[in-house]
Amino acid sequence: MKTKYHSIVLLVIFVVALLVSCGGKNNDENSPTRGKMNDELKLEGDKTIYGLACEGCSDSTVVLLPNDGSDPVYYDIIDATRNHKIMGKPKVGDWIGIVLNPEDSTVADLVINLDELKGTWCYVVMPKMRDYDKLSAKLQKRLMRDMPDSIKETFMIPREYGFSLKRQWTAQSVGYVRESSLQESPVVYPRLAYFTAWHIWNGKLVMTSGEPKFSAKSKEMSIDNLRQDTCDIDYLGNDSLVLSSDGESRSYYRNSDVKNINKKAKDIAAKQKQKALEEIKN
């Protein structure tokens, strides 16, 4: 019976590996991730163990089927559960990452459900008047108090920001609007990084971003000045995510409607730009 179960599990991991190696929807032949396995794309120095959650996972034990197809491994997670270091609830067949205890290789200090982490995570931002931070607190209050309602309705519009975490460690910014579209607006929104990739590094989330450069001549885009930002995963639930970095935390909610979010962001920017140009002409 055990041999039959193991054969079924091996078949599952083979199919998953085949799908991953094909890159899912990422069919760009120039993509650096095309045709590569997840383990091949690990960051240097990452000691996280990756694999699939197997039957037998509980609040005290996680069962991992390694990517090499070897026998499932049982890890003690009693302390990790007590310390709230189980990020997402591992379910059979989920892709998970485990950080082992440095003194006991049978104990997992942290477990992350990577399939649950994947997806689109958003938060809401509000704009500020341009050069707002250069004003004194008194003038800031006066500016907001005396601002006409029509201006507030046009320019003080909340927007959704966020990112999508996809297969093979690829990422995408959500709610991103090119800077050139915002120059005429009297308000400025917080900067949103242009994300290109994500990774796990010893239990931490690493986001890679850069500066998009658009060529009017070739209509192509390149990414310059790549950088990596590291965050702690403080909480991961079905619809909630909390990340922290440099002593600051941010909460995110799940939103699957990426196209609509991006459309709304561009529509808001276009409306604000048009209104600003009308004000200049008048």
Side-chain angles (χ1 to χ4, degrees):
M1 190 73 180
K2 184 176 180 181
T3 303
K4 181 179 180 181
Y5 169 74
H6 192 204
S7 298
I8 294 174
V9 172
L10 285 176
L11 178 60
V12 171
I13 189 65
F14 173 76
V15 173
V16 171
L18 181 62
L19 290 173
V20 170
S21 65
C22 291
K25 295 181 180 179
N26 185 13
N27 293 321
D28 183 1
E29 294 183 359
N30 296 320
S31 171
T33 65
R34 182 175 172 82
K36 294 185 178 181
M37 299 291 289
N38 280 310
D39 273 5
E40 294 181 89
L41 300 170
K42 288 175 61 172
L43 292 180
E44 184 177 354
D46 178 27
K47 297 180 181 179
T48 307
I49 299 175
Y50 300 95
L52 298 182
C54 294
E55 188 174 354
C57 292
S58 66
D59 290 339
S60 59
T61 303
V62 66
V63 186
L64 177 85
L65 180 68
N67 285 341
D68 61 9
S70 56
D71 290 338
V73 182
Y74 291 73
Y75 295 100
D76 183 321
I77 58 169
I78 294 177
D79 287 341
T81 301
R82 185 182 298 121
N83 296 328
H84 306 290
K85 293 297 183 180
I86 308 298
M87 302 302 165
K89 186 174 180 61
K91 300 178 290 296
V92 175
D94 282 351
W95 178 39
I96 62 175
I98 294 177
V99 177
L100 298 182
N101 184 292
E103 298 179 357
D104 189 343
S105 61
T106 66
V107 175
D109 284 345
L110 174 67
V111 178
I112 306 172
N113 187 331
L114 298 171
D115 273 340
E116 198 166 321
L117 181 60
K118 286 189 300 184
T120 299
W121 298 99
C122 295
Y123 59 101
V124 176
V125 297
M126 287 294 295
K128 292 182 179 180
M129 299 302 294
R130 199 173 292 275
D131 298 327
Y132 182 83
D133 292 333
K134 297 179 181 179
L135 302 177
S136 66
K138 184 176 181 180
L139 286 176
Q140 289 178 355
K141 291 180 180 179
R142 181 177 177 181
L143 175 65
M144 297 305 297
R145 184 184 68 240
D146 297 340
M147 184 183 298
D149 290 340
S150 60
I151 298 297
K152 290 181 181 179
E153 291 175 1
T154 300
F155 294 105
M156 305 307 290
I157 303 175
R159 276 186 16 205
E160 284 184 286
Y161 274 6
F163 50 80
S164 291
L165 306 181
K166 304 180 179 183
R167 288 181 178 180
Q168 289 188 288
W169 307 115
T170 59
Q172 170 191 348
S173 296
V174 175
Y176 185 88
V177 177
R178 291 172 59 182
E179 187 64 30
S180 58
S181 303
L182 307 173
Q183 291 177 353
E184 293 85 357
S185 176
V187 299
V188 290
Y189 286 85
R191 178 183 175 275
L192 174 63
Y194 192 88
F195 297 112
T196 61
W198 69 287
H199 285 87
I200 295 297
W201 187 80
N202 297 327
K204 298 179 182 292
L205 175 63
V206 179
M207 298 293 296
T208 302
S209 61
E211 298 176 10
K213 300 295 182 182
F214 297 88
S215 173
K217 192 173 183 179
S218 64
K219 304 297 183 181
E220 295 182 352
M221 183 186 71
S222 61
I223 308 296
D224 295 340
N225 302 323
L226 287 175
R227 57 172 288 175
Q228 292 181 328
D229 295 300
T230 304
C231 304
D232 289 310
I233 304 173
D234 296 331
Y235 176 80
L236 173 62
N238 288 332
D239 299 307
S240 301
L241 172 67
V242 180
L243 303 177
S244 63
S245 177
D246 299 325
E248 297 184 2
S249 297
R250 172 172 286 155
S251 298
Y252 300 80
Y253 56 88
R254 194 184 293 276
N255 191 332
S256 60
D257 198 355
V258 176
K259 289 184 178 180
N260 192 42
I261 295 173
N262 289 335
K263 183 179 183 302
K264 283 184 177 179
K266 291 176 181 178
D267 288 346
I268 291 172
K271 180 180 178 180
Q272 292 174 335
K273 177 179 179 179
Q274 181 61 35
K275 183 65 176 178
L277 291 174
E278 291 175 358
E279 293 291 332
I280 293 173
K281 290 179 180 179
N282 295 332

